[in-house]
Amino acid sequence: MTDSPQKKRVRTPRDTQALIVALIQKMISHGHFTCDIKTAIAEKFTISRRSVERYITRARREMQQEVENYLERHRAESFFFYRSIADSPHSADRDRLRARERIDKLLSLDTQAPSENDPADFKLEDLKKMTDEEFDALYQKNLKKAD
């Protein structure tokens, strides 16, 4: 049985790690396949393909975090922009109303209020008190809504 000599572990410097991650992110953004990224990075920096997999995971995680941070920052900027329009006395009423609507949408407050003839609003007693014609009209109306 032959024992292969253990290789001495060499740590990659942090600046080289950052460079590897940046290169991988660029390659991902250009649409390169993972196997191509592994091959190119492993050859260029003389590291194992398994190490490159870890760098790919790190690069994807950082890219995802950047997108999430951007979305949150964009949402906050939009909110304060619309609020400045809504609070400005110089804005037209139409613009202020539109800004309020956009704020409601950003904050997920734009749910529709139930209509006055919503069947969920009717109680059993109300339905029992209806005439046949009223009940048929309500039934037909709700059939059209469902389509």
Side-chain angles (χ1 to χ4, degrees):
M1 202 168 10
T2 61
D3 292 336
S4 59
Q6 292 236 335
K7 294 181 182 178
K8 184 179 177 187
R9 184 168 180 210
V10 178
R11 291 197 182 267
T12 308
R14 288 192 187 270
D15 57 339
T16 307
Q17 289 179 9
L19 177 64
I20 292 171
V21 170
L23 285 172
I24 290 172
Q25 288 174 345
K26 193 170 202 170
M27 292 176 82
I28 290 172
S29 67
H30 285 135
H32 291 279
F33 293 112
T34 306
C35 61
D36 296 337
I37 295 171
K38 284 183 197 178
T39 304
I41 298 295
E43 287 176 6
K44 182 167 178 74
F45 294 95
T46 59
I47 56 178
S48 70
R49 292 175 60 87
R50 176 64 188 119
S51 294
V52 178
E53 286 179 19
R54 286 191 292 270
Y55 285 116
I56 291 172
T57 302
R58 179 176 159 189
R60 286 185 175 144
R61 187 174 44 242
E62 286 180 10
M63 290 170 77
Q64 182 179 7
Q65 186 64 39
E66 187 176 329
V67 168
E68 289 171 359
N69 289 342
Y70 174 78
L71 291 175
E72 287 300 316
R73 190 171 49 245
H74 181 69
R75 186 175 291 119
E77 289 171 357
S78 297
F79 172 78
F80 286 110
F81 171 73
Y82 290 128
R83 196 173 88 180
S84 71
I85 293 172
D87 293 343
S88 173
H90 304 295
S91 298
D93 289 339
R94 174 181 45 111
D95 295 335
R96 290 169 47 191
L97 179 62
R98 181 73 174 141
R100 292 277 181 201
E101 289 172 354
R102 297 299 299 168
I103 289 171
D104 289 348
K105 188 169 184 170
L106 279 172
L107 300 176
S108 301
L109 301 174
D110 60 342
T111 58
Q112 293 182 353
S115 67
E116 57 190 51
N117 290 331
D118 191 2
D121 293 341
F122 285 105
K123 296 185 174 118
L124 185 59
E125 298 84 33
D126 296 335
L127 292 173
K128 286 181 180 179
K129 292 178 186 176
M130 283 184 179
T131 64
D132 289 340
E133 293 81 22
E134 290 173 332
F135 186 79
D136 287 336
L138 179 65
Y139 179 74
Q140 292 301 325
K141 184 178 177 182
N142 287 319
L143 276 179
K144 289 178 184 175
K145 279 185 186 178
D147 292 335

